[in-house]
Amino acid sequence: MAAERLSSIVSQLTPGQKPIDTITQKNPDDVVITLAIRTPLCKAYKGGLKDTPLDGLVFKILEQVVRKSNIDPQMVEDICLGNVSDSKAAYYVRAACLAAGFPNTTAASSVNRFCSSGLKAVQDIANQIITGSIECGVAVGAEHMSTGGDRLTRPFVDDIVHSGTQDAADCLMPMGQTSENVGKDFNITREQQDLYAAESFRRAEAAQKAGWFDDEITPITVKVDGKDVTLTRDEGIRPNTTFEGLNKIRPAFPEFGDRSTGGNSSQVTDGAAAVLLMKRSKALELGQPILAKFVGATVAGLAPRIMGIGPSLAVPKILTKFGLTLDDIDVIELNEAFASMAVYCRDTMKMDYSKMNPRGGAIALGHPLGCTGARQICTGLSECRRRKAKVLLTTMCIGTGMGMAGIFVNEQLD
């Protein structure tokens, strides 16, 4: 299928053109993004969103979509929520969209592919537009980790655990253990991980001080301990974080290894993000600002015990589908689930580190599971806008052994 896709791209090229020229072309049927916003990312259990559960989070971000998009809510045909931890997510997104001002003719659903759920929601809405099912939709990613995580409440049934398929049994493996596996299997040392984490914090601190996050964050007012509080900034960034300080932190998963810590792993966080998508022709008809073009997204699988290296499979796969190389990519948002996987993916794929997570990543900002895939688009497009860069690649590892990646073309070059 990848060969067929590449052949199709090549057939569209005129003499002298490259595949990058094809994905940056503008056509009426393109799927485009006209709004990409997120809440501040807040510390779970003790931060600004601790008292705003999932339905409240989804309501707040959809309320902002209505306010900031200047679009008639009746134009939105479907809303898809990416969420990992709450089995009631489909109830919440439907009720929240109605309360936020969308009519009862706007449908809603939820989707869960662990840490890629936000990107999966974007892909779901985009694919509906591509196939003609809808012309306009909203993808949301949201997670309220203060409520609890996504751990299983029981082991798999014996037929799975004792099937003789180790990969099936390994789907029970805690994420911390998979990080330690990556560190051991690929010799990603504690020093390398702490150095990486220190740089993530440094970049995030610099970006926050420079105001780079301001245009992607939409302030929201919520109740915290019964009082109204307006949230405007990410809470997880720790000023003046150093390698020396990180190197003193005790291992977080001592039963599995001694390389991953609370300082070089992603933070437990609450947050939400939303992306408004429609056909280019519809955006022009409605006078909507076109931020970016959705090019495509794909997923790849691998052994669950080393799930963190999933991007190293998903990224080459999507680049091949569109005839691209990493040299064609201007900004890379790679989710820092753990420093172990981030270092592995960066070094194995020989990513230009100046392009990768220039504003820091989940180690410094936090990783609200279902939110991240949508949050990366908000952050990446904002950075593309700042740099006047064209092509954004987003990617993340996925629990139980997968990776996902998406490509977008920034059109905010003026």
Side-chain angles (χ1 to χ4, degrees):
M1 290 299 291
E4 291 175 8
R5 176 66 179 168
L6 181 55
S7 176
S8 173
I9 292 170
V10 171
S11 69
Q12 299 174 41
L13 299 178
T14 58
Q17 273 193 318
K18 299 178 180 179
I20 188 69
D21 298 320
T22 297
I23 70 162
T24 57
Q25 288 176 350
K26 298 178 181 179
N27 300 295
D29 288 338
D30 291 339
V31 177
V32 298
I33 294 170
T34 61
L35 183 72
I37 56 174
R38 67 175 180 90
T39 69
L41 302 184
C42 299
K43 296 178 181 179
Y45 308 115
K46 58 184 178 181
L49 291 171
K50 68 182 180 68
D51 298 327
T52 305
L54 181 62
D55 49 339
L57 264 178
V58 177
F59 168 75
K60 289 291 184 181
I61 196 67
L62 287 177
E63 190 178 44
Q64 292 300 311
V65 169
V66 173
R67 185 175 71 84
K68 291 202 162 190
S69 67
N70 294 316
I71 191 175
D72 182 347
Q74 294 188 70
M75 301 301 300
V76 176
E77 298 172 77
D78 199 8
I79 297 172
C80 183
L81 166 65
N83 173 265
V84 177
S85 302
D86 203 316
S87 62
K88 302 175 184 65
Y91 283 105
Y92 294 154
V93 65
R94 176 61 174 161
C97 81
L98 297 173
F102 293 92
N104 60 19
T105 52
T106 299
S109 67
S110 65
V111 65
N112 177 5
R113 189 183 272 150
F114 301 112
C115 301
S116 70
S117 297
L119 179 57
K120 183 75 175 71
V122 170
Q123 184 188 45
D124 182 275
I125 293 296
N127 284 347
Q128 287 193 74
I129 296 170
I130 290 168
T131 59
S133 297
I134 63 173
E135 285 191 314
C136 177
V138 177
V140 176
E143 202 74 40
H144 193 249
M145 297 186 77
S146 293
T147 299
D150 63 329
R151 290 189 177 182
L152 291 169
T153 56
R154 61 168 179 80
F156 299 136
V157 297
D158 287 346
D159 286 347
I160 294 176
V161 175
H162 303 302
S163 66
T165 305
Q166 187 61 44
D167 283 347
D170 285 347
C171 287
L172 281 170
M173 194 172 284
M175 294 298 96
Q177 185 176 0
T178 71
S179 177
E180 291 290 358
N181 289 343
V182 169
K184 292 173 188 173
D185 288 8
F186 304 107
N187 195 29
I188 312 297
T189 66
R190 167 72 186 266
E191 180 181 29
Q192 287 176 292
Q193 295 183 47
D194 286 345
L195 284 169
Y196 181 93
E199 178 61 11
S200 181
F201 278 108
R202 187 197 68 77
R203 292 182 179 193
E205 181 182 359
Q208 189 175 63
K209 285 181 177 177
W212 293 355
F213 294 119
D214 294 353
D215 67 348
E216 62 181 275
I217 293 175
T218 182
I220 58 171
T221 299
V222 298
K223 295 284 188 183
V224 181
D225 296 327
K227 298 178 181 179
D228 284 340
V229 177
T230 298
L231 307 175
T232 62
R233 290 162 60 88
D234 296 322
E235 297 177 350
I237 300 169
R238 302 166 190 159
N240 305 313
T241 297
T242 63
F243 164 77
E244 290 75 18
L246 291 170
N247 205 233
K248 295 175 182 177
I249 299 175
R250 287 181 293 183
F253 315 105
E255 65 272 39
F256 305 124
D258 59 3
R259 307 185 194 197
S260 294
T261 74
N264 63 32
S265 305
S266 58
Q267 298 180 41
V268 181
T269 310
D270 301 324
V275 179
L276 176 61
L277 302 104
M278 63 187 74
K279 271 191 176 182
R280 184 185 297 278
S281 57
K282 178 59 68 173
L284 293 173
E285 175 191 327
L286 298 175
Q288 285 281 301
I290 296 176
L291 308 187
K293 172 183 173 180
F294 171 84
V295 177
T298 195
V299 68
L302 72 157
R305 67 177 300 277
I306 50 171
M307 70 91 203
I309 71 169
S312 69
L313 282 77
V315 169
K317 183 177 178 180
I318 197 166
L319 292 176
T320 299
K321 283 182 179 295
F322 294 102
L324 304 175
T325 70
L326 279 175
D327 289 338
D328 296 311
I329 305 300
D330 298 308
V331 175
I332 301 166
E333 281 289 322
L334 183 145
N335 187 43
E336 299 168 351
F338 299 95
S340 59
M341 55 75 56
V343 171
Y344 174 90
C345 291
R346 180 194 64 188
D347 294 352
T348 300
M349 289 187 277
K350 296 180 171 57
M351 289 180 165
D352 182 340
Y353 197 21
S354 68
K355 296 179 179 180
M356 175 183 153
N357 296 1
R359 302 183 180 189
I363 289 172
L365 299 172
H367 175 29
L369 305 177
C371 170
T372 290
R375 194 279 301 168
Q376 288 179 306
I377 296 169
C378 299
T379 303
L381 290 181
S382 175
E383 180 63 16
C384 283
R385 184 163 53 244
R386 188 187 72 84
R387 294 187 177 203
K388 299 195 184 310
K390 276 191 176 181
V391 185
L392 167 67
L393 168 70
T394 68
T395 185
M396 69 287 292
C397 58
I398 306 170
T400 70
M402 292 173 279
M404 193 170 185
I407 293 178
F408 307 82
V409 175
N410 171 45
E411 296 191 6
Q412 308 160 91
L413 298 173
D414 297 331

